[in-house]
Structure formats: structure tokens, C-alpha cells
Amino acid sequence: LAGQGDIANNVPVEELSRFESNPRVRAEKVEGVRMYFLAMNVTHKPFDNKFLRQAINYAIDPSVIIKYVYEGNGYLMNGPMGSNVIGFDPKIKRYPLDLKKAKELLDKAGYPQGLEIKLYFSPDRYPKAREVCQVIADQLAKVGIKTELISQEFVIFWGKDGVNGGKLPFYYVGRPAADADTVYDQYYRSGVSVRTQYKNPEFDKLVDEEQKTGDPRKRVAILQELGRILMEDVPFVPLYTLAEIYGAARNVVWKPRPDEKIVVSEMKIR
């Protein structure tokens, strides 16, 4: 804004209005490839119960977060993958907001009076993580799930005492990917990591087949089938991708990238 640079990334949403009124700069936005979701480690109770996991999915409406926390600068995820990721399946639809259905599934899971859980997050890693998790806690409370929010520094959150030690039962995370394979392999394939400890022999077999095939169409079809399996078992809650917001000088010809990178060779001065 002061004219000391040509391109800036990671512009906060609350700063957008300043760009609109400035004659020297403009804001550029593109859907990012970082997918935000709530991960559940299925070796921890109560997240070992599929009905409980499905109930949580029916109780959460990410569109409220996009509208009020990110001021509309987000894109709802209908399944495990964002729409700009290889392996995205447009036929998959997210669990709709249905509080009655959520309560029925909680009853089926053995929690007719509700329950208490903890949701972990890292405010120094993900933008507005605290506000996001507060909204999620409010939504879960409507179906009888009392949620305690646990804030951790990222080095603890992501380390051996956190996500990558298999110690966090329920957590808010963002994962960038251009291809579904990397997410499916790291989070949901048996034995690769302890982030969710999800185990499904059919899923593992399909991942093996997908990684061996040289046919791009067959590979995408398998990735889409993997997405459908995950949406049944839901060891996660898909939320959204966010707009990557950049500030650019008006005399710079340049298009924003979804991968958060700024490549000088892609710029021209007019």
C-alpha cells in the first residue's frame, strides 16, 4: 500500500477494503489448494464410532464460517478434495446440515444425552483458527456435543506429542495438495502415519492400484472411488478452501497462483 513492493501474498481479508480505494494497488484472488478440515483419530474414543463421526458431519455448516469469519473469501468443500485438485469428484456431496439427523446418530452411537469432546487447533499456523473453532464448538453444542477448545503452538500441535504422534483425537488442520493421492496416502492409508490411524483394507488396496496405474483416467476414477469410501466412513469433516489473496501494483501484469507462490518470471511491468 505504501508503494514499496510490487506483489504481496497472504493479505488478510480485513485489509481488502483498503486495496479497493487505493489508486496504486489492486487485490487479486484465486481459490487456493490448501484444504481445511477437522481430522479425527479413530483409535481414540469416541471417534472410533462411525455413527458419532457422521453425526458431527451433519452438525457442522462451514458456509457460516466462510461468510462471517472469512468475509466470503472461501469455497465450500463437498468432499475430501477441493474442486481444483486432481481426483476431485463433482458427484460427491457433503453431509447437509441436519440437526435432527445428527441427534439420531448420536443416539445410535450410544450418546443420547450428548457428550464432551476436545478440539485442538494451532492459532499461529492457520488464519483465524480460533474464531473458526469457536463457531464449530457453537454448532456442535446445538446437538448436545460440548466442545472444549485446546490451543497449541504449532511445534507442539504438529509434533510427536500432537498430530504426528497420534495423540490428538480431534483437530483443525489445513493441507495443500494438487493431487488427492498425497492426502489419501498421508492421512488415510494404513501404516503411513498416525494422523488419523484410519484402517480400511479396501481403501488400502485401491491406493496401491492407483499408485501403480499409468492410465490417467483410470487413476482419477480410483481416486474418486477412494473419496466415496471416505465420505461413508468420514474420519474427518470437510470444511473449505480459502482464497489466496495477493496485493499487486496496478502496473504489474500478473495472475495469482493457487499454491501461494510468487514467481517473478510470470510478471510483466507495463
Side-chain angles (χ1 to χ4, degrees):
L1 289 171
Q4 296 177 344
D6 292 317
I7 303 288
N9 61 354
N10 298 319
V11 174
V13 293
E14 56 267 23
E15 296 290 329
L16 278 173
S17 61
R18 297 179 63 192
F19 284 84
E20 295 170 358
S21 59
N22 192 301
R24 294 192 304 270
V25 298
R26 70 186 191 275
E28 292 279 4
K29 296 190 291 185
V30 64
E31 181 178 356
V33 293
R34 185 180 295 274
M35 295 164 285
Y36 291 85
F37 56 99
L38 301 174
M40 306 181 205
N41 190 315
V42 299
T43 62
H44 293 264
K45 290 185 177 297
F47 303 102
D48 59 333
N49 189 310
K50 185 172 79 169
F51 297 131
L52 181 279
R53 300 195 300 266
Q54 290 176 336
I56 289 175
N57 271 268
Y58 276 116
I60 292 175
D61 180 9
S63 66
V64 173
I65 298 170
I66 293 171
K67 182 177 181 179
Y68 293 105
V69 177
Y70 295 111
E71 300 181 18
N73 293 286
Y75 310 83
L76 193 69
M77 286 173 58
N78 266 315
M81 293 295 117
S83 61
N84 54 0
V85 175
I86 295 170
F88 167 75
D89 187 350
K91 295 180 181 179
I92 292 178
K93 301 301 178 187
R94 66 175 299 107
Y95 287 59
L97 179 67
D98 189 332
L99 302 187
K100 181 180 178 182
K101 182 69 173 177
K103 291 177 181 178
E104 290 174 355
L105 284 164
L106 281 177
D107 192 3
K108 198 171 183 180
Y111 301 99
Q113 304 303 319
L115 71 158
E116 296 183 6
I117 61 174
K118 295 178 180 179
L119 173 57
Y120 294 79
F121 67 98
S122 181
D124 58 334
R125 176 65 174 179
Y126 305 114
K128 297 185 178 292
R130 187 179 303 278
E131 294 92 327
V132 167
C133 291
Q134 285 172 340
V135 173
I136 289 168
D138 289 343
Q139 292 182 343
L140 290 174
K142 294 178 181 178
V143 297
I145 300 176
K146 184 179 179 181
T147 306
E148 179 185 355
L149 302 183
I150 308 293
S151 173
Q152 295 182 324
E153 292 184 6
F154 188 70
V155 66
I156 303 298
F157 173 85
W158 197 245
K160 62 180 177 62
D161 291 324
V163 172
N164 285 296
K167 302 295 180 62
L168 302 191
F170 188 42
Y171 58 95
Y172 174 68
V173 68
R175 172 63 163 83
D179 192 300
D181 172 75
T182 57
V183 180
Y184 291 166
D185 191 64
Q186 289 180 3
Y187 277 85
Y188 308 114
R189 189 183 191 181
S190 299
V192 175
S193 81
V194 292
R195 295 178 186 178
T196 66
Q197 300 195 71
Y198 172 73
K199 290 180 174 62
N200 183 322
E202 180 186 2
F203 186 90
D204 293 345
K205 182 180 178 181
L206 284 170
V207 172
D208 288 339
E209 184 180 348
E210 171 265 319
Q211 292 181 344
K212 292 175 182 176
T213 185
D215 183 337
R217 289 188 178 181
K218 182 178 179 182
R219 182 173 175 276
V220 168
I222 296 172
L223 289 171
Q224 291 175 336
E225 177 61 24
L226 289 167
R228 289 189 285 273
I229 291 172
L230 287 177
M231 288 304 287
E232 170 63 24
D233 286 344
V234 283
F236 70 107
V237 180
L239 297 174
Y240 42 73
T241 56
L242 295 177
E244 294 298 332
I245 307 175
Y246 301 82
R250 292 191 182 273
N251 66 331
V252 175
V253 180
W254 171 79
K255 288 186 177 180
R257 297 168 58 105
D259 58 7
E260 307 175 20
K261 295 180 181 178
I262 297 176
V263 180
V264 176
S265 62
E266 296 175 351
M267 304 177 194
K268 292 182 180 179
I269 305 296
R270 61 186 174 190

